[in-house]
Amino acid sequence: MTALISILVLIFIFVAIWQMVKIFDLTQTGKSTENNQIANDNDNKVNGYLMIGFLIFIYAITIVCIAKYGDLPLLSNSASEHGPSVDRLMIISLLVIFFVQTVTQFLLHYFAFKYRGQKGRKALFFADNNKLEAIWTIIPVIVLAGLIIQGLFTWTSIMNVDEEADPMVVELYAQQFNWKARYAGADNALGKANVRLIDLDKANILGVDESDPNAQDDVIVTELHLPVGKPVLFKMRSQDVLHSAYMPHFRAQMNCVPGMITQFSFTPTKTTAEMREVPEIKDKVANINKIRTENSKELIANGEEALEPYEFDYLLLCNKICGTSHYNMQMKIIVETQEEFDAWMKEQKQFKNSLNL
Amino acid sequence: MSAHVEAHAHDDHGHHHKETFITKYIFSQDHKMIAKQYLITGLIMGIIGVVMSLMMRMQIAWPGEPNAFLQTFLGKWAPDGVMSADIYLALVTIHGTIMVFFVLTAGLSGTFSNLLIPLQIGARDMASGFLNMVSYWLFFVSCVIMVASFFVEAGPAAAGWTIYPPLSALPMAQGGSGLGMTLWLTSMAIFIASSALGSLNYVVTVLNLRTKGMSMTRLPLTIWTFFVTAIIGIVSFPVLLSAALLLIMDRSFGTSFFLSDIFIQGEVLHYQGGSPVLFEHLFWFLGHPEVYIVLLPALGITSEIIATNSRKPIFGYRAMIASVLAIAFLSTIVWGHHMFVSGMNPFLGSVFTFTTLLIAIPSAVKAFNYITTLWKGNLQLNPAMLFSIGLVSTFITGGLTGIILGDSALDINVHDTYFVVAHFHLVMGISALYGFFAGVYHWFPKMFGRMMNKNLGYVHFWITAVCAYGVFFPMHFIGMAGLPRRYYTNSAFPLFDDLSNVNVVITVFALVGGAFQIVFFYNFFSSIFYGKKAEQNPWKSNTLEWTTPVEHIHGNWPGAIPTVHRWAYDYSKPGHDDDFVPQDVPLKEGEEELQH
């Protein structure tokens, strides 16, 4: 039935367009003998003005987007030590882009308006100018050189793991469709692991080598806790397909690749509790809860359960397509003080005690 | 050489061979007919690809809400009108594949390279009409196989158009990785064969069959871009073929090129020693040049149309060629910027950041040269011209955000978010599509001997232009808010609840923009039969295709092939009465050819 209606609608649209074209053509008859499907002065004029209208539209949509969505969670309130340097680079890049965009779009659309064709006018024969071309080759070279240099410094400082800072080693383990984390324990050395050692009967779900002395005090959890101010070195593994460990608030991301161990390191700088008190985050949470309350009303009217109120938490998301439930592969991250972290850690089972023997 | 070709061509085409319906319309070896075949196949694939994207947008804007439209079109994939997560990923995958390869590679290049290369260089036909025909029919077969994959039990390939293993290699990882992926790989292998035959033909034709006087520096920029595009295709497509073959080996014959240490659904697989990162390298060695395979022909078409309709020479002809060559070269050494967070050595990340940002320089030169071409012109704002100006606009907007994505430090955070989706849709999707539309409006009279309706063209352009920005501009912002792409629904994350209204706005723009493409299709198909008869040279253009008769003939020119005396851009040249001087007009006494 829907298919039939769709086809009918399509036919009606075609007929409507046909009628409109016919009417328009009839109003045009007798005006001119030349080919009326080629732009004439009037078309040039109308479209020239529309070009200016379109320029205003581009500016307007830019302003609306920046005003409404410009206070981006990914441009402020980073929660890691390297975060501000990324944000600074991002803002510089955005300013450069914004400036170039504003100027070039203006020139493009303004010229399209200003030099719209008129009968009898002749265009300027202007085919080449080495000086001009040199200018707009050199200016991008200088600007890009600046961006490249700053970018490379930032990148290198993020990716270089500072071994002297004695980072806490944590393994992030991905599988369809959830995350696990393995802490290295007091020795800060992860036990060897391979998927071939996985033994579901013994609850050895990560394939940790049971005979490895380093493995004995490892701790496997499903919620990631991190002490504030302490560098963490993540070692990523995946057991099945590619996943990507994306921790947007920490400006951190690395793929998890079956068959190899990847790594990423950062230092969290704000506890979850502190972050919840940041005014922008509070506003964002309040706004989200307002939306959720609205949506809940509808759900309740349909006899469904209301949505739970939202509370801010750091998250680890999967950001590499990994199958059916890719959209819901997440793990909560809690950043807390060292004392809170130690207390939590004490409650966790060590690997040697977690096996079903 | 060319004298010989002419004599030979006369023998061939002087007397009319008896042509049957089949040799004329189906297994045609005439480049003009093959161009039309590519065009119409590309447009039909385009409709399929766009409708898929609209279904995805509906799902993102209104997740979980029953939709009769989806139920009708997706059938068992959308029980009660709510699409399943698996089909969403399949739509993501096939939409990407169709748009990138079937519409914007084969549809765009296939149409205009075939139509314009012989006509603009002054040749009777392609170097090999037979290979050209085979190329089209291989393309057709690959289209059929790709679409057919929607009708297999477990669904089509759903691992993203990048088909990264192990997801694409293991049927137990995802329903679509069974027969669906086999069909995808088969279709792509045939597509690559088609593309290779086409590209070789283009290169050979441009190098060998140029008419007398058509030196490389007198070639229109369209031909330059088609030529360079074909070379990039020849260099990079075989690498994808090798990746696809290795993946087939892993899938079907137990090798471990891309797979290692996998535990899935309760069992350990035997694979050991392979690396998915290797696949990523092989894929993106094609994947990134592919962006320019899509974009360069559109830029070439734009160069030609902007010059013609500005009634001015294209500004900086040599710089335009140099920048195309620079882009082509750089495009083969930047693939790693898709892999900053893939786990490859961070030092490689630095190298690829450097090479990637270098591409901004030739791109900037091109943009500025287009703008300068408009300056002090006498712009004829035909629909084709509007689409060309629109292309420059989206090329700038989309290209600029490449500065962020190409910078490894910034990519960490926006990698695989909607920021990427917005960026590449504007800079290669919409830009190339605009180039496609511009080319259709401009060369329609050459293809079908009739004019398209200009007022419908205007309506088509302005609504499309507004909707394109309406869809992709806000999308940058939800990307910068951290929303990952390829999520079936965002409702699993309350964190993103405040982005849901933006997603609705985007979807509305997409639906309106998509619906108004009907205007184009109406215009296109009705003009083929009822359009106003075209003059020989309606746009008063300089290039050789407009010296051929309106009615198509085998061999293109009824008499001798014209000789070329000048470059293609003598528009509004002082000392001439007309504001255009076709390439076959000899230099006047005392007139000097511009040292361009």
Side-chain angles (χ1 to χ4, degrees):
Chain A
M1 194 59 205
T2 327
L4 189 69
I5 292 174
S6 308
I7 291 166
L8 281 178
V9 168
L10 214 61
I11 291 171
F12 279 131
I13 292 173
F14 270 69
V15 172
I17 297 173
W18 173 61
Q19 290 292 331
M20 281 190 291
V21 172
K22 266 270 170 293
I23 292 168
F24 193 86
D25 282 352
L26 286 174
T27 60
Q28 296 292 303
T29 45
K31 271 195 183 165
S32 148
T33 49
E34 54 187 281
N35 194 327
N36 58 9
Q37 298 310 333
I38 297 172
N40 54 33
D41 280 5
N42 189 44
D43 294 319
N44 290 336
K45 193 170 141 199
V46 172
N47 285 290
Y49 278 99
L50 283 171
M51 281 286 168
I52 292 295
F54 191 63
L55 178 66
I56 294 169
F57 170 73
I58 295 178
Y59 286 166
I61 197 171
T62 310
I63 293 166
V64 167
C65 282
I66 291 176
K68 258 189 111 165
Y69 316 113
D71 178 31
L72 292 160
L74 287 196
L75 284 184
S76 56
N77 292 309
S78 65
S80 63
E81 214 166 85
H82 71 266
S85 68
V86 173
D87 293 356
R88 200 176 319 121
L89 183 59
M90 185 77 170
I91 286 167
I92 293 170
S93 303
L94 282 174
L95 287 176
V96 171
I97 289 171
F98 183 74
F99 176 76
V100 178
Q101 162 83 351
T102 309
V103 172
T104 49
Q105 297 289 358
F106 171 78
L107 292 177
L108 178 71
H109 292 93
Y110 178 69
F111 287 172
F113 161 76
K114 173 102 195 273
Y115 301 109
R116 62 190 185 274
Q118 277 157 15
K119 222 180 197 93
R121 206 174 72 195
K122 211 161 180 186
L124 175 72
F125 189 76
F126 181 56
D128 225 340
N129 185 321
N130 289 342
K131 213 168 162 187
L132 270 178
E133 285 174 279
I135 291 173
W136 58 61
T137 310
I138 290 168
I139 291 178
V141 169
I142 295 169
V143 176
L144 285 168
L147 286 174
I148 290 175
I149 290 168
Q150 222 211 330
L152 291 184
F153 273 117
T154 315
W155 169 251
T156 314
S157 74
I158 295 171
M159 300 309 283
N160 269 359
V161 177
D162 186 3
E163 297 288 352
E164 281 180 17
D166 188 27
M168 177 174 84
V169 179
V170 180
E171 178 181 85
L172 284 178
Y173 185 87
Q175 67 187 105
Q176 287 179 328
F177 299 94
N178 62 65
W179 295 96
K180 305 243 167 7
R182 177 159 64 111
Y183 290 85
D187 57 3
N188 204 27
L190 288 163
K192 288 195 201 78
N194 186 293
V195 291
R196 281 162 219 280
L197 301 174
I198 291 178
D199 190 337
L200 295 181
D201 296 333
K202 291 172 80 177
N204 185 358
I205 46 173
L206 303 197
V208 178
D209 184 352
E210 291 163 35
S211 62
D212 186 349
N214 288 333
Q216 304 308 319
D217 61 348
D218 288 1
V219 168
I220 298 164
V221 295
T222 54
E223 189 176 81
L224 184 63
H225 285 240
L226 300 172
V228 70
K230 179 144 177 80
V232 199
L233 173 58
F234 290 104
K235 299 280 184 182
M236 282 88 163
R237 278 207 298 146
S238 164
Q239 74 170 30
D240 38 37
V241 302
L242 290 177
H243 300 274
S244 188
Y246 180 38
M247 295 169 265
H249 303 99
F250 303 102
R251 312 295 189 258
Q253 176 161 213
M254 183 53 66
N255 286 5
C256 308
V257 185
M260 70 189 259
I261 295 170
T262 55
Q263 65 174 27
F264 198 96
S265 172
F266 67 80
T267 310
T269 52
K270 275 186 206 146
T271 64
T272 302
E274 281 167 358
M275 199 64 162
R276 284 177 183 165
E277 293 308 313
V278 171
E280 290 99 51
I281 299 290
K282 272 181 139 171
D283 288 349
K284 188 179 160 70
V285 170
N287 184 28
I288 289 175
N289 276 326
K290 212 170 85 187
I291 295 168
R292 287 176 81 77
T293 326
E294 281 299 312
N295 293 346
S296 292
K297 276 182 199 155
E298 209 176 302
L299 287 176
I300 292 165
N302 292 339
E304 290 171 58
E305 270 180 63
L307 299 167
E308 280 175 31
Y310 167 66
E311 190 171 37
F312 175 83
D313 265 309
Y314 296 119
L315 282 178
L316 167 62
L317 299 80
C318 179
N319 197 17
K320 185 64 74 193
I321 183 171
C322 67
T324 311
S325 297
H326 168 53
Y327 68 92
N328 191 16
M329 180 169 163
Q330 51 176 312
M331 178 161 70
K332 198 201 267 193
I333 305 175
I334 291 168
V335 180
E336 54 202 3
T337 60
Q338 186 72 47
E339 295 79 44
E340 288 167 326
F341 176 78
D342 291 340
W344 171 80
M345 187 52 102
K346 245 186 215 138
E347 290 170 17
Q348 308 307 315
K349 252 189 201 162
Q350 294 192 333
F351 176 68
K352 61 179 178 226
N353 303 327
S354 73
L355 295 174
N356 303 329
L357 294 171
Chain B
M1 161 73 205
S2 64
H4 167 76
V5 170
E6 272 173 40
H8 175 73
H10 267 284
D11 288 345
D12 256 6
H13 304 290
H15 332 277
H16 270 285
H17 294 287
K18 188 121 179 104
E19 284 195 291
T20 62
F21 178 83
I22 289 180
T23 58
K24 188 167 182 202
Y25 292 105
I26 299 176
F27 295 109
S28 172
Q29 299 191 19
D30 185 302
H31 70 99
K32 299 182 291 296
M33 182 55 69
I34 293 176
K36 289 189 218 172
Q37 291 174 328
Y38 265 110
L39 175 60
I40 290 176
T41 316
L43 288 178
I44 290 169
M45 292 305 277
I47 296 175
I48 298 174
V50 168
V51 168
M52 285 181 186
S53 69
L54 297 180
M55 291 181 185
M56 288 188 278
R57 282 311 317 176
M58 286 189 227
Q59 162 62 23
I60 296 169
W62 304 290
E65 284 181 31
N67 184 322
F69 175 76
L70 293 181
Q71 194 169 12
T72 308
F73 280 88
L74 294 175
K76 71 163 179 172
W77 304 112
D80 304 324
V82 180
M83 74 163 72
S84 69
D86 285 327
I87 200 66
Y88 178 80
L89 293 181
L91 288 173
V92 167
T93 305
I94 308 293
H95 164 76
T97 310
I98 285 183
M99 294 310 284
V100 170
F101 293 112
F102 295 83
V103 181
L104 295 177
T105 301
L108 177 59
S109 263
T111 304
F112 293 105
S113 296
N114 270 311
L115 178 72
L116 295 179
I117 288 178
L119 286 173
Q120 287 195 335
I121 67 172
R124 299 274 179 208
D125 204 322
M126 282 289 184
S128 168
F130 177 75
L131 281 190
N132 212 13
M133 174 193 80
V134 174
S135 166
Y136 169 74
W137 282 103
L138 286 177
F139 164 60
F140 183 81
V141 170
S142 71
C143 285
V144 170
I145 295 177
M146 188 59 75
V147 173
S149 74
F150 260 92
F151 301 93
V152 302
E153 179 69 32
W161 81 283
T162 53
I163 58 154
Y164 285 173
L167 185 61
S168 61
L170 307 172
M172 52 285 229
Q174 195 183 28
S177 295
L179 182 57
M181 182 55 68
T182 305
L183 290 176
W184 194 98
L185 289 166
T186 312
S187 167
M188 280 314 295
I190 297 172
F191 179 88
I192 293 166
S194 151
S195 157
L197 293 181
S199 300
L200 282 171
N201 223 340
Y202 305 151
V203 170
V204 172
T205 308
V206 172
L207 288 179
N208 289 324
L209 297 185
R210 281 170 286 130
T211 181
K212 200 169 168 214
M214 183 62 92
S215 60
M216 289 303 270
T217 50
R218 280 176 179 166
L219 281 180
L221 286 170
T222 33
I223 303 302
W224 264 105
T225 55
F226 298 153
F227 175 62
V228 172
T229 303
I231 294 173
I232 307 177
I234 294 170
V235 170
S236 57
F237 262 119
V239 179
L240 180 65
L241 183 61
S242 67
L245 292 179
L246 295 182
L247 187 55
I248 290 171
M249 303 276 271
D250 275 8
R251 286 165 52 83
S252 307
F253 303 108
T255 55
S256 299
F257 290 106
F258 306 130
L259 306 175
S260 184
D261 295 341
I262 291 166
F263 179 92
I264 193 162
Q265 302 214 334
E267 59 169 332
V268 176
L269 306 184
H270 70 274
Y271 302 107
Q272 193 155 29
S275 168
V277 178
L278 171 63
F279 180 87
E280 293 177 42
H281 280 296
L282 293 175
F283 181 87
W284 287 113
F285 188 82
L286 160 88
H288 198 79
E290 172 64 24
V291 171
Y292 294 97
I293 291 175
V294 163
L295 187 62
L296 288 181
L299 291 176
I301 288 168
T302 297
S303 308
E304 179 62 30
I305 292 173
I306 285 190
T308 304
N309 286 294
S310 298
R311 316 308 297 159
K312 262 188 80 184
I314 191 82
F315 182 78
Y317 174 79
R318 286 199 179 229
M320 292 300 243
I321 297 173
S323 60
V324 168
L325 292 173
I327 288 175
F329 171 70
L330 288 172
S331 77
T332 58
I333 53 166
V334 298
W335 77 89
H337 66 224
H338 298 270
M339 301 167 59
F340 286 139
V341 295
S342 67
M344 71 177 181
N345 189 322
F347 175 70
L348 279 178
S350 308
V351 175
F352 282 119
T353 296
F354 181 71
T355 54
T356 300
L357 293 192
L358 285 185
I359 283 200
I361 296 162
S363 307
V365 170
K366 288 199 90 76
F368 283 121
N369 281 4
Y370 286 133
I371 292 173
T372 315
T373 306
L374 299 184
W375 181 68
K376 296 209 169 175
N378 188 30
L379 311 188
Q380 305 303 313
L381 297 173
N382 288 300
M385 179 64 163
L386 295 185
F387 274 104
S388 299
I389 294 172
L391 182 152
V392 178
S393 175
T394 53
F395 179 61
I396 293 171
T397 310
L400 281 170
T401 50
I403 294 174
I404 290 176
L405 289 162
D407 197 331
S408 50
L410 298 176
D411 183 67
I412 294 173
N413 224 25
V414 284
H415 181 85
D416 262 343
T417 65
Y418 270 95
F419 192 82
V420 180
V421 180
H423 162 74
F424 74 75
H425 272 98
L426 273 179
V427 79
M428 70 175 263
I430 297 294
S431 295
L433 215 51
Y434 280 6
F436 199 169
F437 284 135
V440 171
Y441 281 106
H442 191 77
W443 280 290
F444 192 89
K446 190 74 260 162
M447 278 189 267
F448 298 100
R450 291 174 186 272
M451 308 294 289
M452 285 177 83
N453 184 300
K454 80 179 166 192
N455 292 312
L456 290 181
Y458 291 142
V459 171
H460 176 219
F461 172 73
W462 286 112
I463 304 235
T464 306
V466 168
C467 290
Y469 268 95
V471 169
F472 296 112
F473 202 84
M475 207 179 266
H476 290 100
F477 289 80
I478 57 176
M480 282 191 279
L483 186 67
R485 65 197 277 215
R486 293 170 173 169
Y487 270 16
Y488 163 61
T489 163
N490 307 317
S491 53
F493 291 91
L495 171 69
F496 300 130
D497 272 0
D498 54 346
L499 303 176
S500 53
N501 51 5
V502 193
N503 269 323
V504 172
V505 171
I506 292 173
T507 298
V508 170
F509 271 115
L511 290 172
V512 173
F516 266 88
Q517 301 312 307
I518 293 174
V519 175
F520 170 75
F521 285 101
Y522 172 86
N523 197 355
F524 181 84
F525 287 108
S526 71
S527 299
I528 291 179
F529 303 105
Y530 308 111
K532 200 176 166 69
K533 280 252 175 353
E535 306 156 39
Q536 192 184 19
N537 188 358
W539 317 117
K540 299 194 172 60
S541 179
N542 285 346
T543 38
L544 288 183
E545 75 270 29
W546 305 106
T547 62
T548 62
V550 178
E551 289 291 328
H552 283 182
I553 54 169
H554 212 48
N556 296 338
W557 286 269
I561 299 178
T563 305
V564 166
H565 298 280
R566 55 181 77 234
W567 73 330
Y569 299 104
D570 271 343
Y571 290 105
S572 304
K573 195 173 186 185
H576 289 268
D577 296 334
D578 279 331
D579 64 355
F580 70 113
V581 192
Q583 283 188 280
D584 60 339
V585 173
L587 294 177
K588 282 184 180 172
E589 214 168 311
E591 183 188 356
E592 276 183 45
E593 194 182 1
L594 190 77
Q595 287 304 311
H596 48 76

